[in-house]
Amino acid sequence: MIESPPILTIRRNFPRPTAAQVDAFRDVPTAFVCDAMGGQGAMASSIRAIGDGRDMTCRAVGPALVADNGPGEILASLAALEICQPGDIVIAAMHGHRNVASAGDLFCGMMKNKGIAGFVTDSEMRDYKAIVEVGLPAWCTGLNPNSPNGTGPGRVGFEASVGGRCVASGDMIIADENGVVVVPLAQIDTVIEAVAKVVELEAELEQKVKDGFDSFLDLEEMIADGRAVMVD
């Protein structure tokens, strides 16, 4: 007979970014971070700020605490409250399962009481108006009032695939009204350096646009060297 696995597997001690590394991303737009990562890093656009950010400001930066729940499950998310640190962002992986709420206002209130900086899920949420009152930044795939299960199995403090991105606990999460970006822990310092260059280039381009710049392409040059062909 196959033995039943434990309903919870918890990893409390995993590498985390330093406070200085977190602060380096504090005011950086997600688009700049993606540019610094070669145009990549964001979760699927189906995971967006709750209510599309119309009633509350959704902005969060901090280490990922991954709760790998499985479809329709929240036991791992509940366990995340037991090992979280202030400033963590709970990533509730439900394997893209829809038609059930991964969290509501009371759970959001509990996370805020713990000092959690934000909540991200590849499933839905409920109790929208009350969540706005709680004020915890959240990203999800939509709203649904159905109740989840809390029986497990689940894993906390490990990794999971969320929105097309592999997210490991301790990775840097930068989330705003444009989406959720994941920076792997080992790449944080490299991305911080690249972000500084992106900020500089963006400022230069912004000034050029204000001064009248209106095109990235030199079509005449491209036609002359064969990179482009005019057919009419």
Side-chain angles (χ1 to χ4, degrees), residues 24-36 59 191-207:
F25 289 99
R26 190 71 66 188
D27 299 315
V28 180
T30 50
F32 287 14
V33 181
C34 288
D35 288 348
R59 169 76 188 178
V191 175
I192 288 173
E193 292 180 6
V195 163
K197 296 178 182 177
V198 170
V199 170
E200 181 180 344
L201 292 173
E202 284 281 338
E204 292 176 359
L205 182 56
E206 181 180 0
Q207 187 58 53

Side-chain angles (χ1 to χ4, degrees), residues 82-212:
E82 304 304 316
I83 67 167
C84 67
Q85 296 184 14
D88 283 350
I89 297 177
V90 172
I91 309 294
M94 297 179 72
H95 300 200
H97 183 73
R98 307 293 287 269
N99 203 35
V100 66
S102 62
D105 63 317
L106 297 180
F107 186 57
C108 286
M110 294 170 70
M111 287 191 285
K112 189 170 184 181
N113 290 343
K114 286 280 191 175
I116 287 171
F119 178 76
V120 177
T121 181
D122 58 357
S123 189
E124 297 156 324
M125 298 179 71
R126 69 181 187 183
D127 308 321
Y128 175 73
K129 290 183 178 179
I131 288 175
V132 171
E133 292 178 3
V134 170
L136 181 76
W139 290 260
C140 61
T141 60
L143 300 172
N144 193 295
N146 284 337
S147 300
N149 298 312
T151 55
R155 286 161 47 93
V156 186
F158 296 92
E159 64 286 319
S161 178
V162 181
R165 292 287 163 190
C166 180
V167 189
S169 294
D171 286 349
M172 186 75 74
I173 302 296
I174 303 95
D176 61 17
E177 67 279 0
N178 290 302
V180 181
V181 177
V182 183
V183 180
L185 180 65
Q187 298 178 25
I188 288 176
D189 286 336
T190 300
V191 175
I192 288 173
E193 292 180 6
V195 163
K197 296 178 182 177
V198 170
V199 170
E200 181 180 344
L201 292 173
E202 284 281 338
E204 292 176 359
L205 182 56
E206 181 180 0
Q207 187 58 53
K208 288 175 65 176
V209 171
K210 289 179 179 179
D211 292 339

